Amino acid sequence: MTLLQTYGADLIKAICEHTIYVLISVAIGFSVGLVCGILLSRVPRWLSGIIIPVLSIFQTIPGLVFIGVLFIFWGDIYPTVIVALSVYAMFPVLKNTYTGILGVEERYLEAARGCGMSPFQTLIRVELPLAMPIIIAGLRMAAIYTVSWAVLASMIGLGGLGDFVYRGTSSNNNTLILLGAIPAAVLAILFGVLIDLLQKKVTPRGLWKEAGR
């Protein structure tokens, strides 16, 4: 009870900040990744085979380094965190969108063309619905990863559950570390469950068995 009285208000604030970072960043990352994945699926494969590895270089940059570079140019403002997290959240969605669309069997595309569908109608009505299980898997990965990456916000003084983790490590206080780590783990689980439910809603019924639902 004393622990909650001491840290309760700060913990609730940190959880709210952390959740907002994740929601905004994943929403932006998903939107950008989906559009980029669709565009890459429309270019020649030799070109996408060059572009995707080049883009993946950004994902190999440690989050601390990336957010540190943005901090140098922008300072301790919220867009610094949002942009950094959005960039990292984008890649799983981009790759899965590209892979999912290219994985649609040709017979379905031929059937769509036979029905007189335009390329845009084929994308919306055939390719994206069939690729949706893979796309949502990318979204799930992005959300779970972003929950952990959002801890870096506290490194530039912008709050989140990382405050407790870093305060705990700097003072060798295991209680503070757990106060930051446990809610972050719970958030990751909750986001995973919610996205699993979303996947059931957006996946065509005929694909439920293939998607393992």
Side-chain angles (χ1 to χ4, degrees):
M1 193 64 175
T2 304
L3 192 65
L4 292 177
Q5 290 175 343
T6 304
Y7 300 108
D10 290 339
L11 181 60
I12 292 174
K13 180 183 177 183
I15 292 173
C16 291
E17 290 174 337
H18 207 94
T19 303
I20 291 172
Y21 286 144
V22 174
L23 289 175
I24 295 176
S25 301
V26 171
I28 295 173
F30 177 78
S31 301
V32 175
L34 183 67
V35 172
C36 291
I38 292 172
L39 293 176
L40 282 175
S41 71
R42 264 48 189 170
V43 303
R45 292 203 181 187
W46 67 266
L47 182 58
S48 62
I50 296 173
I51 294 175
I52 291 179
V54 171
L55 291 176
S56 297
I57 293 175
F58 289 96
Q59 198 173 19
T60 64
I61 300 174
L64 182 59
V65 173
F66 190 38
I67 202 170
V69 171
L70 290 179
F71 173 76
I72 292 174
F73 290 100
W74 293 354
D76 55 344
I77 58 176
Y78 290 110
T80 299
V81 176
I82 297 299
V83 169
L85 296 180
S86 297
V87 168
Y88 282 104
M90 175 189 71
F91 287 108
V93 178
L94 185 156
K95 290 180 179 178
N96 281 35
T97 299
Y98 174 79
T99 301
I101 290 177
L102 290 188
V104 175
E105 296 182 26
E106 183 62 29
R107 59 193 173 108
Y108 296 119
L109 302 180
E110 291 179 357
R113 288 191 288 265
C115 293
M117 290 187 184
S118 66
F120 181 74
Q121 288 174 322
T122 301
L123 172 68
I124 298 300
R125 298 183 180 181
V126 178
E127 292 178 279
L128 285 180
L130 291 175
M132 197 54 65
I134 297 176
I135 295 173
I136 296 300
L139 173 62
R140 188 178 194 277
M141 190 183 307
I144 293 174
Y145 285 169
T146 304
V147 171
S148 62
W149 292 327
V151 171
L152 296 174
S154 65
M155 293 294 294
I156 58 174
L158 291 177
L161 290 169
D163 276 353
F164 285 93
V165 175
Y166 290 116
R167 283 164 54 190
T169 54
S170 62
S171 61
N172 199 26
N173 188 326
N174 293 334
T175 300
L176 287 178
I177 295 175
L178 291 176
L179 281 176
I182 292 176
V186 172
L187 280 178
I189 293 171
L190 288 177
F191 276 112
V193 171
L194 289 175
I195 292 173
D196 285 343
L197 294 175
L198 174 64
Q199 184 172 11
K200 289 194 67 173
K201 293 292 183 182
V202 301
T203 301
R205 189 176 296 272
L207 294 179
W208 281 4
K209 188 174 182 180
E210 295 181 26
R213 303 291 170 212

